[in-house]
Amino acid sequence: MNTRQRIVWGIEQALCYTSLVLLALLPVAEVIARRVFKTGVPASSGLLTHLLLVLGLLSGMITTKKADHLSISLIQFVPERMKHICAVITGLLSAFVLTLAAWCSISFIKIGLTGKIIGFIPDRLFALVLPAGYAVMAFRFARQTPVKGAMRLLPVLAILLGTLASFPSITKFIWGFDTPDA
């Protein structure tokens, strides 16, 4: 592992821990503020909601880093020679779906969020974790797909296919169509 990877992974973990600590401390601060000052923490419910979003996606990024994510373990019932094929299929499918989610979340941020200030942070800033988290997880799933030789092109094709399937969301983002999908 090189220095740049350690720095990026350290930032991921620091943001995740910070979100977790803030998620634990904000309700405590709310209770103390209500008892002592007879008022609550401004925008605490909105901050908690958005911190939960950040924590969830950062946790997902961290768990996909070393393939420690949750998965359905039906593969144990598959014959040994089929396990590799199942691992390749699930890796490619995961990369495809997460690529699709990353592109669609960009459109969601533009269309669905208004730039409302939560505490002192715009909601769109919180929501940037959506495309970033999904994209990082998609690339990690693609990288971890167990393929060799010429088959190494398959994860790249899964990401390109996810991008192609997201074309309506991408066009909405680029040309500013503000109408949701039918």
Side-chain angles (χ1 to χ4, degrees), residues 31-107:
V31 168
I32 292 171
R34 287 191 186 274
R35 299 250 172 145
V36 174
F37 303 112
K38 306 294 186 226
T39 184
V41 176
S44 65
S45 64
L47 283 170
L48 285 172
T49 302
H50 285 79
L51 282 172
L52 190 60
L53 169 74
V54 169
L55 180 66
L57 280 159
L58 287 173
S59 298
M61 288 169 55
I62 289 170
T63 57
T64 57
K65 177 173 50 181
K66 293 186 180 175
D68 290 336
H69 52 277
L70 293 174
S71 60
I72 298 172
S73 185
L74 293 176
I75 199 166
Q76 63 188 344
F77 302 114
V78 175
E80 194 64 38
R81 64 179 191 263
M82 293 292 292
K83 286 184 181 182
H84 177 74
I85 295 170
C86 288
V88 170
I89 290 170
T90 57
L92 294 174
L93 187 61
S94 298
F96 169 77
V97 169
L98 286 166
T99 302
L100 192 64
W103 283 113
C104 291
S105 65
I106 293 172
S107 179

Side-chain angles (χ1 to χ4, degrees), residues 10 12-13 17-18 20 29 38 44 54 57 62-63 77 79 86 89 101-102 104 122 125 130 133 136 140 163 171:
E12 279 180 27
Q13 287 184 330
Y17 290 141
T18 302
L20 184 61
K38 306 294 186 226
S44 65
V54 169
L57 280 159
I62 289 170
T63 57
F77 302 114
C86 288
I89 290 170
C104 291
L125 186 63
L130 287 166
V136 167
R140 286 181 179 166
T163 301
T171 56

